[in-house]
Amino acid sequence: MPVGKIYARRLAVLATSAALTVTGLLATAPSAQAAMPTPVSASTARTYLAALTVKAEGTTSGYSRDLFPHWITQSGACNTRETVLKRDGVGVVTDSSCAATSGSWFSEYDGATWTLASDLDIDHMVPLAEAWRSGANSWTTTQRQAFANDLTRPQLIAVTDNVNQAKGDLDPAKWLPSRTSYRCTYTRAWVQVKYYYNLSVDSAEKSALQSVLNGC
């Protein structure tokens, strides 16, 4: 075989070997933690915020979480909570009913890492009661269900349960994540959700949002 052809064959073998090595690395590399959908940029959030209706917050008269049917079936045996746990965790293993039996979850709000799904709540970025006071009181049940189970917008996220409970139904004028590096993402998500669902903001809430977004 001519020297040129032997050299070309060796190059081809080396190239194939390198490709297989890269493929192997990709196959065995740990996957990055998934997360809720990325919120709009800070500049877009500022534009959205300027477009929101500003008015005094309504009351919770007539409100009930049951008016926002949530944790509906998303796929097979998996409901919304279980879907978010699988999305937001690393190495999540589920049983036949889709319940997470193992995995690791990083809580963006406080920086804690958990290995038991029971230590996590699925937070509604814009709380259900806050939505009710901001316009959802006039929605249909179908609209409220879509809001409470929204996997397309940055509305649902797995976080430390007692941190979520401390947040309750407070808006950003009264509560922000203790992990300051996440506050920009948090406010961008909050504004995007309110804008998409045409929910109002009160003046204190708007000021708090503007303050964070101006620093993003």
Side-chain angles (χ1 to χ4, degrees), residues 134-167:
S134 304
N137 60 320
S138 65
W139 292 353
T140 65
T141 300
T142 299
Q143 289 173 310
R144 288 193 284 263
Q145 176 175 295
F147 175 82
N149 298 275
D150 191 350
L151 296 170
T152 304
R153 262 69 48 185
Q155 165 67 344
L156 299 172
I157 184 171
V159 295
T160 303
D161 54 3
N162 60 354
V163 172
N164 179 55
Q165 290 151 23
K167 170 184 171 178

Side-chain angles (χ1 to χ4, degrees), residues 59-205:
T59 71
T60 52
S61 176
Y63 168 74
S64 167
R65 286 179 66 85
D66 293 339
L67 295 173
F68 292 78
H70 53 289
W71 307 167
I72 62 172
T73 300
Q74 291 290 343
S75 177
C78 302
N79 65 24
T80 307
R81 171 183 164 82
E82 293 155 349
T83 301
V84 175
L85 284 172
K86 289 172 68 176
R87 182 198 69 187
D88 289 4
V90 173
V92 178
V93 176
T94 57
D95 62 19
S96 59
S97 64
C98 202
T101 57
S102 63
S104 176
W105 293 268
F106 177 77
S107 172
E108 296 284 6
Y109 289 178
D110 58 334
T113 298
W114 303 98
T115 56
L116 291 176
S118 58
D119 287 321
L120 296 143
D121 277 355
I122 306 305
D123 180 41
H124 288 95
M125 179 64 62
V126 175
L128 306 182
E130 164 67 20
W132 179 270
R133 297 190 297 263
S134 304
N137 60 320
S138 65
W139 292 353
T140 65
T141 300
T142 299
Q143 289 173 310
R144 288 193 284 263
Q145 176 175 295
F147 175 82
N149 298 275
D150 191 350
L151 296 170
T152 304
R153 262 69 48 185
Q155 165 67 344
L156 299 172
I157 184 171
V159 295
T160 303
D161 54 3
N162 60 354
V163 172
N164 179 55
Q165 290 151 23
K167 170 184 171 178
D169 63 355
L170 302 177
D171 69 35
K174 300 168 185 170
W175 190 92
L176 285 167
S178 60
R179 187 166 164 257
T180 55
S181 61
Y182 195 69
R183 289 181 178 179
C184 183
T185 302
Y186 184 85
T187 54
R188 285 157 47 209
W190 182 283
V191 171
Q192 181 180 346
V193 171
K194 281 225 160 176
Y195 180 83
Y196 180 82
Y197 285 98
N198 196 30
L199 296 170
S200 63
V201 291
D202 62 51
S203 57
E205 176 187 353

